[in-house]
Amino acid sequence: MSRAETAGPVEKAGTAESPATATPPPTPRPFGSPGLFRLAGLFRSELTLTFRRWRSLALLVVLAAVPVLIGVAVRIETSDGGGVGGGGAPDGGAGVAFVSQITSNGLFLVFAALAATLPFFLPMAVAVVAGDSVAGEASAGTLRYLLVAPAGRARLLLVKFAAVMAFCLVATLTVALSALAVGALLFPVGDVTTISGVPVPFAEGLWRAALIAAVVAGSLMGLAAIGLFVSTLTSSGIAAMATTVGLLITVQILQSVPQLDAVHPYLFTHHWMSFADLMREPLLWDGVLRNLGRQAAYAAVFGSAAWARFTTRDITS
Amino acid sequence: MTAVIETSGLTKRYRGGRPAVDRLDLSVPAGSVFGFLGPNGSGKTTTIRMLMGLIGPTAGTATVLGRPMPRSASSVLPHVGALIEGPALYGFLSGRDNLLRYDSADPAADPRTREARVASALDRVGLSQAAGKKAKAYSLGMKQRLGLAAALLRPRKLLVLDEPTNGLDPQGMREIRTLVRELAADGTTVFLSSHLLDEIEQVCTHAAVMAQGRLITQGPVAELAAGARGRLAVLTPDPAKAVRILTEHGLTGVDREGERVTAEPPEDEAELAGLNAALVHGGVRVRGFGVERASLEDAFVALTGEGFDVAG
């Protein structure tokens, strides 16, 4: 029994005798900190909320469709007898290299699909969910009821961030699993030839695919924190989503202008494609760690900004 | 009596503009049903938001359950149920899931008894039948009930209800009044804001009146209403004669409205019988005669010298 439950009847008995016991009772219970934070329940509730929205489900369906599209396109093109050209990821050679290998091993569809969705599809889905996370509750008015519940502002923000990160992971896994299924269906699977040219067993390939999916999900952390920060600035869910997506597009444009390469290392997208290094033999961690470090830095900066803003803000919606 | 809510010089000024709440000194006694009365735009909701820690005051202090707000929000608010500016729900969740969501937001609520708490809250507001329906399919009245259920999830020491009967039909309003009385009987202090005077008059023991961000008066309802004197009313098919006779007997403020003649009653109640006799003797056919008790509305008009309209 929690302290809340056991103390209930005692309080009631007290108020029945004299109705003037509204000041904190002498029991140590009510005004102490209850449990450490009791985050689990709120986090579960937040997850349910995120994944029961039609919008989230629609985003996941679109993401799941991308590997199908790539797989079918590659299949049609090769069955015509033509070789597979480029036409994979808009960003760099890794994606293209993966696409050309799909016909020989369906597992490569996983890498090709992640490379194709990481520049825009995945982050856009994350921007929508992150941007809406606080602002959406504010515009629906539910934020004020969460806060008087009282969810606690820092606690709510933490749970929101965790839920957005969970969405990143689920979105990435959706792409990866859909690609795995389509790849296995349309193409042969077997031992995997790494970018380095060294073959590794299929099981090892699967493990690498899971690792890459996790890294890709982690790559979205910086954007998730930015989206959350933007979300604390406004009471309009749509405005926050649009701003976050706009920021993403701006950064991707900056990233593609060679004259701005002095700025590039500071952008959260700069090391995104480094996940391809995990398909080398042996594994090459440098780029991946730099990427994750960059994401952690972004999360720290924008997470703090979101905290500073949200804990002092007037909730008037 | 100790005060459950106490504010001192509480002021809120939104960016550039006159204060929404201006140096408010409010004191809500424990165990009272406290009516917070004022026209729309008089600063009631801003005050409630400050009390609930949703917005920070520009100046002044507020104490709720003996603790400063918004600083002690996390320890005070589990003991407070609130309905602020109408219900807000997740339309795509069922009524029950909405309550589960709000209950899980409260770190002081035991997750093991969550289902039972939600079920009894639903039952209390009569929504058990509709608990599985999506909240967006609810009528305004049902949404209001669900909002109330959220406020009643746990036993509360203080219940803050901002315009709780908005959107309810007369039956729903009666139920809310009954609920408020029940809660008050259990020892819960109820802080009820409204722009409907008769609503306050029917359930409240104490009241405060706001206008344009300022507190005009506060105290027990009986005292407030007593501040305004009642009026003598005569119902008659001969109003012209009645006006003449009442004026001849030295009454002031004589006013005629169709077959209804009203006047300030004489200081001495004993004179009333004589007045009635005088009317009848003067050939006035009296259909009704008596002093109408002053209502809170009279008190309000007397206090503000104006009608009970929306502030500009």
Side-chain angles (χ1 to χ4, degrees):
Chain A
M1 266 294 128
S2 82
R3 292 171 296 170
E5 290 304 315
T6 46
V10 177
E11 247 167 66
K12 236 184 174 163
T15 47
E17 285 162 26
S18 69
T21 49
T23 40
T27 47
R29 193 259 314 178
F31 291 102
S33 79
L36 191 57
F37 293 116
R38 278 226 172 109
L39 283 171
L42 184 55
F43 179 59
R44 246 197 322 276
S45 159
E46 192 64 44
L47 280 185
T48 320
L49 198 72
T50 306
F51 291 103
R52 277 180 70 175
R53 282 189 202 276
W54 279 110
R55 187 184 53 226
S56 312
L57 297 180
L59 288 170
L60 292 180
V61 167
V62 170
L63 285 171
V66 172
V68 178
L69 227 65
I70 299 176
V72 169
V74 169
R75 182 62 192 254
I76 290 172
E77 213 176 320
T78 48
S79 63
D80 284 351
V84 180
D91 202 303
V96 179
F98 291 142
V99 171
S100 60
Q101 291 214 48
I102 295 174
T103 44
S104 54
N105 191 338
L107 188 57
F108 273 91
L109 187 55
V110 174
F111 311 126
L114 287 175
T117 48
L118 183 51
F120 277 110
F121 274 107
L122 268 177
M124 234 150 82
V126 171
V128 166
V129 171
D132 192 50
S133 57
V134 178
E137 300 254 18
S139 54
T142 46
L143 184 59
R144 64 173 182 268
Y145 286 110
L146 290 177
L147 291 181
V148 299
R153 298 193 182 201
R155 180 168 168 265
L156 186 61
L157 202 60
L158 192 67
V159 165
K160 288 273 176 198
F161 183 67
V164 174
M165 285 314 297
F167 180 81
C168 292
L169 190 64
V170 169
T172 312
L173 287 178
T174 303
V175 174
L177 292 176
S178 162
L180 188 63
V182 173
L185 215 65
L186 298 181
F187 306 101
V189 288
D191 288 357
V192 179
T193 313
T194 59
I195 301 181
S196 321
V198 186
V200 296
F202 182 66
E204 165 86 12
L206 274 181
W207 179 82
R208 297 265 180 119
L211 184 66
I212 284 177
V215 168
V216 166
S219 304
L220 299 167
M221 184 161 63
L223 181 67
I226 292 174
L228 196 65
F229 170 60
V230 171
S231 198
T232 60
L233 297 180
T234 164
S235 295
S236 157
I238 305 283
M241 284 189 256
T243 307
T244 314
V245 171
L247 273 172
L248 167 74
I249 294 173
T250 310
V251 166
Q252 288 291 46
I253 290 173
L254 292 182
Q255 183 76 55
S256 66
V257 178
Q259 285 79 2
L260 294 174
D261 61 356
V263 184
H264 290 171
Y266 302 101
L267 300 178
F268 61 88
T269 56
H270 187 60
H271 298 289
W272 269 5
M273 286 303 159
S274 64
F275 77 84
D277 290 347
L278 297 180
M279 276 308 289
R280 295 183 197 282
E281 182 63 32
L283 290 165
L284 198 60
W285 284 99
D286 291 10
V288 173
L289 291 180
R290 257 201 302 277
N291 178 24
L292 293 180
R294 179 73 23 93
Q295 301 306 326
Y298 264 90
V301 170
F302 284 94
S304 313
W307 174 81
R309 163 74 182 158
F310 189 53
T311 48
T312 55
R313 172 181 158 195
D314 279 356
I315 308 295
T316 51
S317 59
Chain B
M1 273 200 268
T2 44
V4 168
I5 296 174
E6 186 115 56
T7 74
S8 148
L10 195 66
T11 301
K12 182 67 186 182
R13 195 189 300 272
Y14 290 114
R15 215 170 305 175
R18 67 179 180 83
V21 174
D22 196 4
R23 283 163 289 164
L24 184 67
D25 298 316
L26 197 64
S27 179
V28 177
S32 63
V33 177
F34 195 95
F36 196 41
L37 190 58
N40 294 325
S42 57
K44 299 190 302 284
T45 298
T46 302
T47 305
I48 288 176
R49 281 179 182 272
M50 280 193 278
L51 292 174
M52 297 296 100
L54 289 174
I55 62 182
T58 310
T61 57
T63 338
V64 177
L65 298 176
R67 303 225 149 193
M69 287 297 282
R71 198 146 44 83
S72 299
S74 64
S75 55
V76 168
L77 291 179
H79 303 279
V80 180
L83 189 64
I84 306 162
E85 263 191 304
L89 305 166
Y90 301 91
F92 60 101
L93 295 183
S94 69
R96 181 182 294 110
D97 288 343
N98 267 283
L99 292 188
L100 288 172
R101 163 88 174 149
Y102 286 132
D103 192 71
S104 62
D106 181 355
D110 186 349
R112 284 163 297 185
T113 49
R114 185 157 293 149
E115 300 274 347
R117 255 196 314 278
V118 166
S120 76
L122 283 167
D123 190 47
R124 182 141 204 194
V125 297
L127 271 184
S128 296
Q129 296 296 319
K133 262 208 317 192
K134 293 246 187 295
K136 64 170 168 253
Y138 279 15
S139 68
L140 184 53
M142 287 162 86
K143 287 180 180 165
Q144 192 79 6
R145 283 158 193 256
L146 196 61
L148 262 173
L152 296 173
L153 276 168
R154 303 209 301 143
R156 313 286 193 182
K157 291 181 183 156
L158 170 64
L159 206 59
V160 175
L161 304 176
D162 189 10
E163 307 273 0
T165 55
N166 257 6
L168 293 184
D169 53 15
Q171 169 66 18
M173 290 188 180
R174 252 196 310 279
E175 285 174 21
I176 298 276
R177 282 196 291 270
T178 310
L179 188 68
V180 166
R181 290 197 186 101
E182 275 174 27
L183 290 162
D186 288 348
T188 307
T189 307
V190 183
F191 186 82
L192 185 78
S193 97
S194 181
H195 64 276
L196 301 174
L197 290 148
D198 59 338
E199 185 171 287
I200 299 277
E201 213 167 10
Q202 284 186 50
V203 293
C204 294
T205 58
H206 294 67
V209 179
M210 293 277 287
Q212 304 194 348
R214 285 168 177 253
L215 183 68
I216 292 181
T217 184
Q218 63 180 329
V221 166
E223 280 177 27
L224 293 183
R229 300 182 60 211
R231 280 183 74 80
L232 171 67
V234 181
L235 289 178
T236 169
D238 311 313
K241 269 192 229 167
V243 168
R244 186 169 48 78
I245 293 172
L246 290 178
T247 315
E248 278 169 8
H249 280 78
L251 293 194
T252 55
V254 180
D255 196 17
R256 178 187 157 181
E257 217 178 286
E259 298 204 332
R260 203 177 111 95
V261 177
T262 60
E264 294 291 328
E267 294 289 332
D268 186 0
E269 298 258 321
E271 284 177 37
L272 284 172
L275 272 175
N276 196 5
L279 284 170
V280 174
H281 190 72
V284 178
R285 291 166 292 169
V286 177
R287 213 168 61 230
F289 183 94
V291 176
E292 290 175 347
R293 195 174 64 82
S295 70
L296 211 48
E297 180 159 6
D298 299 323
F300 184 87
V301 173
L303 283 165
T304 58
E306 61 191 73
F308 201 69
D309 298 319
V310 175

